[in-house]
Amino acid sequence: MEKLVEVIDIKKHFPVRSGLLGKKQSVKAVDGVNFHIAKGEVLSLVGESGCGKSTTGRLVVRLLPLTGGRVIFDGADITDISEPNMRPKRKDMQMIFQDPYSSLNPRMKVKRLVSEPLLVHTDMDEAARHKRVEELLEVVGLPRGSINKYPHEFSGGQRQRIGIARAISVNPKLIVADEPVSALDVSVQSQVLNLLQDLQKDLGLTYLFISHNLSVVEHISDRICVMYLGKIAEVATRDQLYENPMHPYTKALLSAVPIPDPSKKRRRIILKGDIPSPVNPPAGCNFHTRCHECMDVCKHEPPQPKDVGNGHIVACHHHLC
Amino acid sequence: MQNEKVLELTNLRTQFITKDSTSTAVNGVSYHIKRGEVLGLVGESGCGKSVTALSIMRLFRDTPGRITGGAVMFGGRNITEISEREMAKIRGKEIAMIFQEPMSSLNPTMKIGKQLTEVILKHRHISVREAKELALDMLRQVGIPRAEQLMNEFPHQLSGGMNQRVMIAMGMSLNPSVLIADEPTTALDVTIQAQILELMKSINEEHGMSILLITHDLGVVAEMCHRVVVMYAGRVVEEADVHSLFAKPLHPYTHGLIDSTPVIGARIERLKSIRGNVPSLDNMPEGCVFGPRCDSFEDRCGREEPPVFHIEQQGVLRKCRCWTAESQSVGKD
Amino acid sequence: MENFKNTPFGEFLKKFLRRKTAVVALAFILAMFFVAIFGMQIAPYDPREFDYGNILQSPNADNIFGTDEFGRDIFSRVLVGTRLTLSVSLTAVTFAMVFGTILGLVSGYLGGIFDNIFMRICDVMFAFPDIILAIAIVAVLGPGLQNVIIAVAVFGVPTFARIMRGAMLSLKQSLYVEAARSIGVSSFRIIFVHIFPGAFSTMIVNYTMRIGTAVLAAASLSFLGLGASPTEEEWGAMLSIGRNYLGVAPHAVLFPGLAILLTVLAFNLLGDGLRDALDPKYK
């Protein structure tokens, strides 16, 4: 299968200074992450807050400069491309944001919002852009009259549709969707998820889907990448991950999700303690402080990711031998 | 579990009244909480679930919110009518409340220990030392590992999950008969949510404290609650015990809500969804408020708002505000 | 019309019209502009005509504001002086805004060393009281209205620069600017299409408020003899001459003083109203 995106050992460290004269430290938001996304695939990044999933998404589309590693997009290395040279490439990689309230410029009408990518990347004239915007609104299921309205006149779900129309307007190859349904109510969330799935099928899109919601991720993904404290814990296909999770963190994460069925009672793994600060991640395996299967070696030696068969990658000492 | 009602709302109406407009956030809501029960209050944003909780606590301070009808019965009194001074005695001592953002409900300039002892001293006539003892004991009970140290720390030094534990400790310290938890885990990560839910469950089981759990997450409801009240657009649309509700939802809205929630392991090709959007408070549809989004919409629904019908199933009483329930009804509100 | 109500401008108008004091202030300012343009035609007398038989008259039916020490009609002089006052302060503040905005935008966008140096210069200027700074500038350049404009403009620049830079920095972080970047929009377009309009409302409010300050500063400089010459119809200059006769003819300072007071007040009230109406948090 052809790879659309490949990231090799990418890192992003944000410098922080504690207090006025405190020593300089760095938050290792992303610390050596590898994965690839095949054409036409939906790869999800899951994890809890501070695991670096959103930062990873922004590194892939080069919205943030990398501290280390390489990003290959559609066969070309885009790691060191300057911002002006990056701009035309952005046509092929668009983003959908979590907060539909603040990701749309409140002073722009829908028409200008949705046609902005067309203005930047195509030489369409005004009439052609207008026609294209009308088509796009129809595709994402917004009423015809929306074109001359402002974002504040729409509900959360409708605004997310505007954001989606904007992202697909220039026929991108990759869409990075950063928690696209987290801010939405359940009944609207499913509408938007269905829309994203339909678009992926109809337009042959590739998604990098970032979410903390494991039920949503299971529904939409082909493959899933579980992150913890800036590192990858496990990468697997949907079936592998949900039927046979191998990393203790994945197991705990899956067992923690409340199931909307009172007749199903499960044994739950309750993790001890809090997520450690990414400024001072634990030595050895970064999960060992909360792990219920922690061994001695975990406290000193960081586990290397290992393919345990069929592309199922786990970074855990239990699966190294 | 006993059948005694510790808190009962009848026909409660809360409005937000400003110079230019009046919007009715809670429109004739009735439900009750029994002793030792976890009651779930479910609905989407803007359905009025949080406003009913604020109405019980009468916490409208700087908002134009006002209770304009109905009653909240607690301890044999209608607490919407008592004086502010008497209400202050109930708040915290008899009914405690915890919020979605634990960080913003704690005082950022005061040490955790001080905040806890202050609350205790306000309501109980004991010495400062005893109050400190009690606070420490509470922190240990909610599973905080280094309680002594934590007494001397400020809220911003703790994580969201820890702060929520502190809030729960504070809520429990006066041994109230009802704990209102308004989206207590929405701002937390899944693994931390699991810890907090476990804690609340044990509080309910060990102390027999009644909990009103307000949430939008059906998973949390299924795990935690004994009985569920579903709200939509400021009204109660369905009430049932948790097993009947998930096994056979009666109201089309509840049905839609359950169907549109993705479930781990379900592996369905396509999620069902409820069409359209939640109506805004100042633009309510005629007749049944759910009508325009409903798949079983009939002419009558567009004209007449259905009452809450009572239905008996296998000896259990359920309630449903839908004309489809009329034929099986044994009474109505 | 239905559509118009929902535009940001329609929304703004609705909120602005609800603020009565601001509307009154606006009406007053519009009237001032009218007077500034047609002052000569409206004025009952020639403001420069000496009438030695009629000096320091108290307000009466012929000269409703009275006359000054040369017998000139104060009412006519106040009316005609409007033009000078408005043109000096508007020119000065406009210059301040243009340069301040450009410097603030560049400084905020480039960041780094340029930003640092520029902001420290601003800090130094902020450390001086406005009027002292203006006096110092006029002292260097020499007296005259033109130099008053330059002085008032110079001490206005840091305020505008700082506001623009602040807006630039906060909007640069905003999600919709990041969204625009992710689409591939150029920096130039981001600054002028996405960031600048966002900061525009703050600029308008500050512009209005600054005019009040500028009116006061220009009048002060003229009062001190650093601005308009005593023959010119400038409110500050009129005050300066009139104060010699404060005991016998208080009206000679009262009316120009009142004109300054009302003008400053009107611009400040208008600024307040605009700020409330432009702030989306106020309903």
Side-chain angles (χ1 to χ4, degrees):
Chain A
M1 208 182 276
E2 205 182 336
K3 290 175 184 171
L4 180 65
V5 176
E6 186 168 17
V7 301
I8 304 156
D9 200 30
I10 54 167
K11 287 184 179 134
K12 180 69 197 176
H13 298 176
F14 294 102
V16 283
R17 200 190 276 271
S18 48
L20 190 63
L21 297 168
K23 58 173 189 236
K24 266 191 192 163
Q25 289 176 306
S26 62
V27 175
K28 297 181 177 65
V30 177
D31 201 22
V33 162
N34 294 285
F35 60 80
H36 70 270
I37 315 171
K39 271 194 180 139
E41 183 184 46
V42 181
L43 178 78
S44 289
L45 295 178
V46 277
E48 297 176 286
S49 55
C51 74
K53 54 189 191 298
S54 285
T55 309
T56 306
R58 281 166 172 74
L59 290 176
V60 168
V61 295
R62 282 279 320 274
L63 269 181
L64 288 171
L66 290 108
T67 308
R70 311 214 71 80
V71 178
I72 318 285
F73 181 80
D74 210 11
D77 188 333
I78 58 165
T79 317
D80 299 316
I81 293 182
S82 70
E83 184 57 33
N85 291 332
M86 190 63 212
R87 235 171 266 142
K89 292 200 181 282
R90 298 203 182 280
K91 179 178 174 295
D92 292 332
M93 41 172 100
Q94 295 282 313
M95 232 177 136
I96 300 169
F97 294 87
Q98 167 175 8
D99 186 351
Y101 291 86
S102 54
S103 58
L104 300 174
N105 189 334
R107 285 171 203 84
M108 286 189 173
K109 288 183 183 174
V110 169
K111 183 182 170 183
R112 267 184 90 193
L113 283 168
V114 177
S115 63
E116 192 166 34
L118 301 170
L119 191 75
V120 173
H121 293 293
T122 68
D123 46 15
M124 283 186 187
D125 62 8
E126 162 68 29
R129 287 201 303 268
H130 188 94
K131 197 163 156 273
R132 175 79 178 135
V133 173
E134 279 184 334
E135 279 169 23
L136 286 163
L137 293 183
E138 170 121 25
V139 170
V140 299
L142 280 169
R144 201 162 272 226
S146 312
I147 196 158
N148 280 320
K149 287 190 176 170
Y150 287 90
H152 72 91
E153 298 174 69
F154 295 91
S155 66
Q158 289 174 316
R159 285 186 216 204
Q160 201 54 295
R161 287 174 195 267
I162 299 172
I164 293 171
R166 205 175 180 210
I168 61 170
S169 63
V170 282
N171 295 319
K173 292 177 181 153
L174 172 74
I175 287 186
V176 174
D178 186 6
E179 303 264 14
V181 296
S182 309
L184 307 177
D185 274 319
V186 193
S187 69
V188 179
Q189 167 181 299
S190 54
Q191 295 172 0
V192 173
L193 280 176
N194 285 339
L195 172 65
L196 286 172
Q197 275 185 315
D198 291 345
L199 290 174
Q200 196 235 350
K201 223 175 293 161
D202 297 346
L203 307 175
L205 292 169
T206 305
Y207 286 154
L208 176 60
F209 193 90
I210 299 165
S211 177
H212 69 280
N213 186 326
L214 285 128
S215 331
V216 167
V217 163
E218 183 189 22
H219 182 71
I220 202 158
S221 319
D222 296 315
R223 272 190 323 129
I224 294 136
C225 183
V226 182
M227 289 183 71
Y228 185 77
L229 274 182
K231 290 195 160 124
I232 283 184
E234 185 162 2
V235 186
T237 63
R238 176 176 71 168
D239 292 350
Q240 288 166 343
L241 193 89
Y242 283 83
E243 274 148 34
N244 184 23
M246 290 191 166
H247 198 286
Y249 178 60
T250 316
K251 290 182 202 167
L253 210 52
L254 283 173
S255 86
V257 180
I259 301 261
D261 186 349
S263 57
K264 274 192 193 145
K265 293 281 175 226
R266 296 168 302 158
R267 241 198 65 232
R268 169 170 283 173
I269 308 161
I270 301 271
L271 289 180
K272 301 172 290 204
D274 281 328
I275 304 165
S277 147
V279 179
N280 279 316
C285 172
N286 61 6
F287 184 59
H288 85 257
T289 51
R290 302 175 75 200
C291 186
H292 53 286
E293 296 174 25
C294 179
M295 304 179 292
D296 253 1
V297 56
C298 306
K299 292 175 187 163
H300 317 294
E301 199 74 29
Q304 294 308 311
K306 191 191 165 200
D307 191 335
V308 293
N310 301 320
H312 192 154
I313 295 163
V314 191
C316 176
H317 287 295
H318 284 281
H319 300 282
L320 278 184
C321 10
Chain B
M1 201 191 307
Q2 299 154 352
N3 264 335
E4 183 198 344
K5 295 173 183 174
V6 278
L7 185 73
E8 184 170 22
L9 280 64
T10 40
N11 227 349
L12 185 78
R13 179 207 293 271
T14 304
Q15 294 177 308
F16 287 82
I17 303 166
T18 59
K19 229 173 15 187
D20 312 309
S21 67
T22 299
S23 56
T24 309
V26 175
N27 198 349
V29 162
S30 307
Y31 60 82
H32 63 268
I33 308 163
K34 292 182 220 163
R35 188 166 297 285
E37 178 182 54
V38 182
L39 177 71
L41 192 54
V42 208
E44 296 177 290
S45 51
C47 71
K49 56 189 192 300
S50 292
V51 180
T52 60
L54 294 177
S55 307
I56 295 171
M57 297 295 275
R58 292 187 20 197
L59 284 174
F60 290 117
R61 270 176 224 137
D62 299 330
T63 66
R66 211 145 302 153
I67 298 169
T68 53
V72 178
M73 296 304 290
F74 178 78
R77 289 190 292 177
N78 177 0
I79 58 172
T80 63
E81 285 171 350
I82 60 177
S83 71
E84 184 53 41
R85 250 184 76 192
E86 289 196 61
M87 191 63 213
K89 282 187 204 153
I90 291 181
R91 251 184 240 132
K93 186 160 193 302
E94 313 271 347
I95 310 174
M97 185 160 176
I98 57 175
F99 299 88
Q100 177 173 348
E101 294 289 342
M103 212 72 107
S104 53
S105 23
L106 287 165
N107 183 344
T109 62
M110 217 193 262
K111 285 178 183 167
I112 301 286
K114 183 129 205 270
Q115 301 199 39
L116 275 170
T117 42
E118 216 161 69
V119 169
I120 296 169
L121 285 171
K122 203 173 128 196
H123 291 283
R124 286 175 70 170
H125 300 286
I126 52 175
S127 73
V128 178
R129 246 196 46 215
E130 282 172 306
K132 262 191 188 151
E133 278 303 296
L134 182 61
L136 207 56
D137 191 41
M138 279 297 142
L139 288 179
R140 290 202 190 97
Q141 275 194 37
V142 296
I144 290 176
R146 28 178 209 100
E148 283 93 350
Q149 249 173 293
L150 200 121
M151 293 278 281
N152 287 317
E153 283 175 17
F154 291 97
H156 69 90
Q157 292 172 288
L158 313 181
S159 66
M162 273 301 162
N163 273 318
Q164 198 59 287
R165 281 175 199 267
V166 171
M167 282 301 295
I168 294 175
M170 198 182 278
M172 283 178 53
S173 59
L174 296 158
N175 204 12
S177 36
V178 181
L179 177 71
I180 302 178
D182 188 0
E183 303 266 8
T185 57
T186 306
L188 306 177
D189 280 314
V190 213
T191 57
I192 310 296
Q193 163 171 291
Q195 297 171 351
I196 298 291
L197 291 182
E198 200 75 3
L199 170 66
M200 289 182 44
K201 203 177 236 173
S202 73
I203 289 171
N204 167 257
E205 282 164 7
E206 285 162 28
H207 300 254
M209 192 183 288
S210 310
I211 298 178
L212 174 60
L213 180 62
I214 301 171
T215 179
H216 69 280
D217 188 332
L218 288 173
V220 172
V221 171
E223 302 256 330
M224 294 289 296
C225 303
H226 302 117
R227 218 153 45 83
V228 189
V229 170
V230 185
M231 282 186 71
Y232 182 78
R235 292 152 176 83
V236 171
V237 293
E238 183 160 6
E239 182 190 318
D241 71 280
V242 70
H243 291 281
S244 323
L245 187 89
F246 282 94
K248 192 168 180 285
L250 290 179
H251 198 282
Y253 175 64
T254 319
H255 213 288
L257 213 53
I258 292 174
D259 279 350
S260 52
T261 309
V263 183
I264 285 197
R267 296 296 166 85
I268 38 170
E269 266 305 297
R270 207 177 158 74
L271 288 170
K272 293 217 178 80
S273 60
I274 306 175
R275 63 164 179 265
N277 295 289
V278 180
S280 68
L281 286 180
D282 43 297
N283 192 16
M284 281 293 162
E286 285 275 304
C288 173
V289 282
F290 186 62
R293 304 179 71 190
C294 184
D295 284 335
S296 349
F297 183 81
E298 288 169 23
D299 284 352
R300 184 184 191 180
C301 309
R303 294 191 310 265
E304 255 180 284
E305 175 157 24
V308 176
F309 292 108
H310 295 201
I311 293 143
E312 215 175 287
Q313 268 178 351
Q314 287 133 20
V316 194
L317 191 73
R318 322 180 40 167
K319 293 177 181 175
C320 175
R321 190 192 278 274
C322 178
W323 289 119
T324 54
E326 192 183 17
S327 56
Q328 325 163 45
S329 106
V330 292
K332 61 187 176 186
D333 270 357
Chain C
M1 203 57 207
E2 202 32 55
N3 221 338
F4 170 75
K5 262 195 204 146
N6 279 324
T7 63
F9 184 70
E11 193 87 345
F12 156 74
L13 208 61
K14 208 172 76 194
K15 274 155 78 180
F16 180 75
L17 290 177
R18 227 182 282 156
R19 274 152 243 276
K20 296 287 176 288
T21 42
V23 175
V24 172
L26 179 65
F28 181 80
I29 289 165
L30 289 177
M32 278 184 64
F33 274 101
F34 181 80
V35 171
I37 296 167
F38 299 107
M40 277 301 199
Q41 283 73 27
I42 306 170
Y45 299 97
D46 181 343
R48 298 196 168 168
E49 194 185 67
F50 291 179
D51 181 355
Y52 290 108
N54 207 11
I55 59 170
L56 294 174
Q57 289 289 315
S58 293
N60 55 52
D62 287 336
N63 308 98
I64 54 169
F65 284 1
T67 58
D68 65 7
E69 86 267 37
F70 297 115
R72 294 176 294 197
D73 178 42
I74 293 181
F75 181 60
S76 304
R77 282 175 61 81
V78 168
L79 283 190
V80 174
T82 312
R83 179 185 293 184
L84 210 55
T85 304
L86 281 188
S87 56
V88 168
S89 46
L90 280 175
T91 325
V93 179
T94 307
F95 271 117
M97 179 168 79
V98 170
F99 285 107
T101 304
I102 294 172
L103 283 169
L105 276 178
V106 173
S107 180
Y109 191 74
L110 291 182
I113 187 119
F114 176 81
D115 183 39
N116 246 322
I117 293 174
F118 180 68
M119 278 302 127
R120 292 300 82 75
I121 295 176
C122 285
D123 286 341
V124 170
M125 289 178 69
F126 275 122
F128 287 102
D130 287 358
I131 191 69
I132 307 250
L133 194 65
I135 291 173
I137 294 170
V138 177
V140 173
L141 298 177
L145 272 183
Q146 207 179 340
N147 292 341
V148 168
I149 293 179
I150 294 174
V152 174
V154 167
F155 79 65
V157 167
T159 325
F160 283 104
R162 207 171 247 203
I163 291 174
M164 200 62 223
R165 176 176 172 273
M168 178 88 191
L169 290 182
S170 76
L171 289 174
K172 218 161 89 173
Q173 306 287 326
S174 76
L175 202 55
Y176 69 77
V177 167
E178 191 184 18
R181 253 182 18 96
S182 81
I183 279 167
V185 179
S186 65
S187 310
F188 185 80
R189 197 179 146 84
I190 287 182
I191 292 183
F192 287 99
V193 176
H194 291 275
I195 295 184
F196 187 69
F200 191 66
S201 54
T202 346
M203 291 310 266
I204 287 289
V205 172
N206 191 53
Y207 182 76
T208 318
M209 301 273 216
R210 268 275 144 189
I211 291 176
T213 325
V215 167
L216 205 56
S220 311
L221 289 173
S222 294
F223 179 81
L224 295 171
L226 297 171
S229 71
T231 52
E232 280 177 292
E233 301 79 16
E234 210 283 338
W235 297 342
M238 288 166 74
L239 272 184
S240 176
I241 311 167
R243 100 196 124 123
N244 300 324
Y245 309 97
L246 197 60
V248 285
H251 61 271
V253 293
L254 176 68
F255 291 107
L258 215 54
I260 296 172
L261 175 80
L262 288 178
T263 309
V264 175
L265 192 66
F267 277 107
N268 280 345
L269 288 176
L270 177 65
D272 269 342
L274 285 176
R275 181 179 50 211
D276 292 353
L278 286 166
D279 189 341
K281 285 195 283 286
Y282 279 95
K283 269 278 168 291

